Amino acid sequence: MEFAAFADRAERLEAESADLATTAGVADLLSAADDLATVTRFLLGRVFPAHDTRTLDVGPASCHEAIARAAGPNVTAEDVETRLADRGEIGAVAAGFDFGGQRGLSAFAGGRKPLTVAELDRSLRELAAVEGAGSESTKVDSLFGLFNRCEPAEAKVLARLVLGEMRIGVGEGTVRDAIAEAFLVADGGAGGGDDSVNDGSDDDSVNDGEKNGSDAVALVERALQVTNDYGHVAVLARRAGEEGLRAEGLEVGRPVQAMLAQAGTASDAVESFGEVAVETKFDGARVQIHYVPGGGCGGAGDDGAHEDAAFGPRLYSRNMDDVTDALPEIVEFVASRVDVPVILDGEIVAVDDEGSPLPFQEVLRRFRRKHDVDRMRETIPCRLHAFDCLYADGDELLDEPLSTRHERLVEVLPDAAADVRTTTDIEAVESIEADALEAGHEGVMLKDPESAYTPGDRGREWLKRKPAVETLDAVVVGAEWGEGRRAELFGTFLLAVRSDETAVATGTGPTGTNGTNVAADGPDGYATIGKVATGLTDEALADLTERLEPHVVSESGAELRLRPEVVIEVGYEEIQTSPSYGSGFALRFPRFVGVREDKSAAEADSVERVARLAESE
Ligand code: AMP
């Protein structure tokens, strides 16, 4: 495809404001493109796929310099910058110059040789490979040569491409949808598959595209997650359709996006997963490890495509940057212990002399370091905590349940595999969290043991437990007798908070049907908020019973009303609005923390504070 044709399409896409029309326009362009992989990447302002660590490494100053030179002897880089300040965007500035005047000076005097997309891609890749002394001026020279051959619309796209910002209103989601529309959906785009074009593959079979839209998009999405290359996925969709996308798998050495977590509570986890896999949340930096041990250990895929591809451990950050060289002790650790090809997911944590975790900022001092690595290795040693295994010894594990992936992890790298404990008990989660915090970690992660690994997805299968919420100091205004062994003791305690005039005046207090304040379900000036029966040892129950008995006002069945005298501290998972209690709020999973001997009832928390806490959650 000629670059001018691409630039023209880009211009039309930029002018389009409707999403559907943009997707259709992109689908149309992809269907027509012979250099499909490159066109797809260019649309997203990329020369290299996201998993590729190469960059053009051309700063704005070099780009401005190249534009100025192509624009003629009277134009300087400062002129370009002045125009940039005025126009606000480099594409518009580049399009505003006439590069034709310089063409006579170029090697193509006597006739402009049109740039093709393929040629531009090659030139930019060559430019990316230039290194060392003088590389900057070499890069400016080659950019000058390219701008020199551009008409305004081409210059606009080239300048934006060089600086990695296409600004034509085509995002990753649009390209994903367009790939599906062009090559998978029946009567989408150009009807799918175009035999007349050559995408660089030697297989001309067309897609089997009878997919409906959302299935097709999901398939494309999935292939993007494992490959991180829009160009590759577009070619695959055109060449091998649904089957090809489905068969696309992991490749050791090609990083995938990390699975992400949402915030959630222990009760959320128990409610949605039943059994919860509880892991320590390490306070460090995410790392993905790819390793194919040498010594004839075989390849990285069932197809044997990588049979001789042994390579040392490579470490990638969450953004898929290669951080291998910065962390030699992790490389050595993995190389000395793992003897099958693997892709592992984990966290790198900086540790002190005793091996206790250091704050997150410390690991960042190691992560991207290029110089002084050996000295820093001594100063801030790092440790790996691996928590997932995406691939082991020829087996792709993304769709296996977490529990199976963890078993494989323990098999391949027992020394660094994070512990997992499975439970259905919220209090057990809390105690694991307390241990993790005590050991200097950040908290806990709560995962569904049945869940697959979904790269790049911030789903509900992994929950990072919210930091402990603030506790409440509540007044005990009622109690119920315990049962069985505890029949002689109070077992459940009715809690209330102060409901003073402020609360009523600001409307935070609940109002009865007749418009009156219904805080009367507690003693005057107090409004109930929940009952607590957990977190209480026999000893605590005996102590509370003794403290509260002198304040009993009335008794009916197992229930007692108490004068508001004793204040206790309670923890909870969440505060919800609720019609069940006089305050208008209810504590979710309240638990007894301790008696506030130092506080009188008048100093207990108010409905107002509860409302504020509820709002801030
Ligand atoms: P956050 O950065 O607060 O969104 O929390 C998610 C991050 O916690 C992940 O990206 C990991 O870097 C990190 N993390 C620490 N321990 C674990 C673990 N056991 N499982 C998953 N992620 C973890």
Side-chain angles (χ1 to χ4, degrees):
M1 177 177 232
E2 290 200 352
F3 184 48
F6 177 81
D8 177 54
R9 294 277 200 148
E11 196 135 76
R12 280 193 268 153
L13 287 168
E14 188 173 355
E16 182 59 69
S17 56
D19 288 352
L20 280 179
T22 303
T23 309
V26 175
D28 199 44
L29 168 58
L30 298 183
S31 304
D34 46 3
D35 310 294
L36 179 57
T38 308
V39 163
T40 312
R41 291 185 196 122
F42 276 12
L43 275 171
L44 292 168
R46 308 193 73 101
V47 175
F48 300 106
H51 66 75
D52 195 318
T53 47
R54 286 175 291 176
T55 59
L56 296 183
D57 200 18
V58 174
S62 298
C63 182
H64 301 165
E65 174 69 30
I67 291 173
R69 272 169 59 188
N74 301 326
V75 182
T76 64
E78 286 76 51
D79 296 332
V80 173
E81 269 142 37
T82 310
R83 288 196 189 200
L84 180 59
D86 189 36
R87 307 295 300 267
E89 191 271 308
I90 195 65
V93 173
F97 288 111
D98 173 17
F99 296 139
Q102 290 301 290
R103 248 171 240 141
L105 304 177
S106 79
F108 307 104
R112 176 177 176 266
K113 188 172 167 238
L115 259 179
T116 63
V117 164
E119 188 188 357
L120 179 59
D121 186 50
R122 240 186 341 268
S123 304
L124 292 174
R125 283 167 182 262
E126 277 165 22
L127 179 149
V130 178
E131 279 181 351
S135 61
E136 206 173 308
S137 76
T138 312
K139 288 185 183 197
V140 173
D141 286 349
S142 35
L143 276 183
F144 159 66
L146 291 170
F147 276 116
N148 219 5
R149 293 171 62 189
C150 286
E151 294 295 336
E154 295 168 276
K156 181 183 197 176
V157 174
L158 176 58
R160 289 174 173 178
L161 191 55
V162 165
L163 297 182
E165 36 171 278
M166 278 306 268
R167 296 163 154 265
I168 53 172
V170 174
E172 295 188 340
T174 308
V175 175
R176 177 200 59 204
D177 294 354
I179 293 173
E181 186 170 322
F183 306 124
L184 301 180
V185 182
D187 33 75
D194 180 348
D195 288 48
S196 66
V197 293
N198 171 17
D199 53 34
S201 75
D202 46 15
D203 177 356
D204 271 338
S205 65
V206 289
N207 71 73
D208 47 343
E210 292 297 322
K211 293 283 347 150
N212 79 41
S214 60
D215 284 359
V217 167
L219 264 177
V220 174
E221 176 74 37
R222 159 85 189 188
L224 288 169
Q225 286 172 346
V226 291
T227 62
N228 277 302
D229 184 353
Y230 282 79
H232 175 73
V233 170
V235 170
L236 196 62
R238 172 192 276 171
R239 196 182 69 198
E242 186 188 329
E243 285 303 306
L245 291 179
R246 228 186 271 290
E248 183 65 26
L250 294 170
E251 200 175 285
V252 188
R254 182 176 68 188
V256 289
Q257 286 172 31
M259 181 161 172
L260 301 170
Q262 283 186 25
T265 62
S267 49
D268 291 338
V270 171
E271 262 167 37
S272 14
F273 316 151
E275 291 236 297
V276 182
V278 189
E279 295 173 11
T280 298
K281 184 169 194 286
F282 305 99
D283 193 10
R286 189 80 174 258
V287 74
Q288 195 174 100
I289 302 175
H290 291 241
Y291 179 36
V292 180
C297 289
D302 299 330
D303 58 1
H306 309 283
E307 233 156 44
D308 300 315
F311 57 82
R314 287 183 200 153
L315 313 183
Y316 297 95
S317 72
R318 177 162 154 176
N319 297 330
M320 292 180 287
D321 294 332
D322 188 331
V323 293
T324 311
D325 293 343
L327 298 160
E329 70 267 51
I330 307 298
V331 171
E332 288 161 20
F333 178 86
V334 171
S336 65
R337 286 167 173 79
V338 176
D339 50 21
V340 294
V342 286
I343 303 178
L344 305 175
D345 191 3
E347 192 88 346
I348 300 289
V349 176
V351 291
D352 64 16
D353 292 344
E354 269 87 56
S356 301
L358 292 170
F360 162 69
Q361 289 75 8
E362 295 298 311
V363 79
L364 290 189
R365 294 175 61 202
R366 288 289 314 274
F367 224 59
R368 277 166 228 285
R369 183 166 282 273
K370 296 212 166 65
H371 309 289
D372 270 352
V373 170
D374 287 338
R375 185 175 59 82
M376 288 308 280
R377 168 183 185 167
E378 301 301 320
T379 323
I380 308 172
C382 284
R383 178 174 288 180
L384 168 68
H385 294 280
F387 50 73
D388 218 312
C389 180
L390 282 53
Y391 182 97
D393 200 13
D395 298 328
E396 188 170 313
L397 304 171
L398 290 181
D399 294 326
E400 296 293 330
L402 171 66
S403 49
T404 308
R405 299 198 308 273
H406 195 267
E407 279 165 22
R408 295 300 295 268
L409 173 65
V410 172
E411 259 168 53
V412 296
L413 188 54
D415 295 351
D419 284 339
V420 182
R421 286 205 266 158
T422 312
T423 181
T424 50
D425 177 8
I426 290 172
E427 281 184 52
V429 173
E430 279 165 3
S431 113
I432 300 170
E433 182 178 34
D435 291 348
L437 292 171
E438 175 78 25
H441 300 297
E442 206 185 344
V444 286
M445 297 286 297
L446 309 174
K447 300 182 180 175
D448 180 353
E450 294 300 319
S451 62
Y453 191 101
T454 46
D457 192 22
R458 193 181 284 286
R460 298 289 300 165
E461 290 79 19
W462 286 14
L463 298 176
K464 46 189 176 185
R465 192 163 127 78
K466 283 187 195 165
V469 284
E470 291 176 58
T471 55
L472 265 190
D473 293 331
V475 189
V476 185
V477 295
E480 287 167 31
W481 288 106
E483 288 173 357
R485 185 167 60 83
R486 290 174 166 181
E488 301 299 305
L489 301 173
F490 297 164
T492 301
F493 303 89
L494 179 65
L495 305 173
V497 285
R498 281 186 300 112
S499 128
D500 48 27
E501 287 181 4
T502 339
V504 177
T506 54
T508 48
T511 315
T513 41
N514 60 359
T516 56
N517 188 305
V518 294
D521 69 323
D524 256 6
Y526 295 89
T528 55
I529 190 163
K531 291 178 180 178
V532 65
T534 51
L536 292 144
T537 58
D538 284 354
E539 210 182 340
L541 284 176
D543 174 55
L544 275 174
T545 307
E546 197 178 314
R547 283 173 193 273
L548 291 168
E549 264 190 319
H551 306 300
V552 174
V553 183
S554 63
E555 193 167 347
S556 132
E559 287 184 18
L560 305 119
R561 290 267 151 189
L562 301 169
R563 255 194 311 276
E565 294 286 343
V566 176
V567 178
I568 65 172
E569 183 178 355
V570 284
Y572 51 88
E573 285 253 322
E574 227 177 325
I575 298 176
Q576 295 177 321
T577 52
S578 161
S580 309
Y581 293 103
S583 64
F585 295 100
L587 300 180
R588 221 166 152 226
F589 297 102
R591 63 179 193 284
F592 174 79
V593 177
V595 176
R596 289 298 307 253
E597 297 192 45
D598 55 325
K599 279 199 168 180
S600 68
E603 292 167 288
D605 281 316
S606 61
V607 176
E608 216 187 354
R609 174 158 190 260
V610 171
R612 269 201 314 273
L613 286 170
E615 208 156 277
S616 67
E617 275 176 3

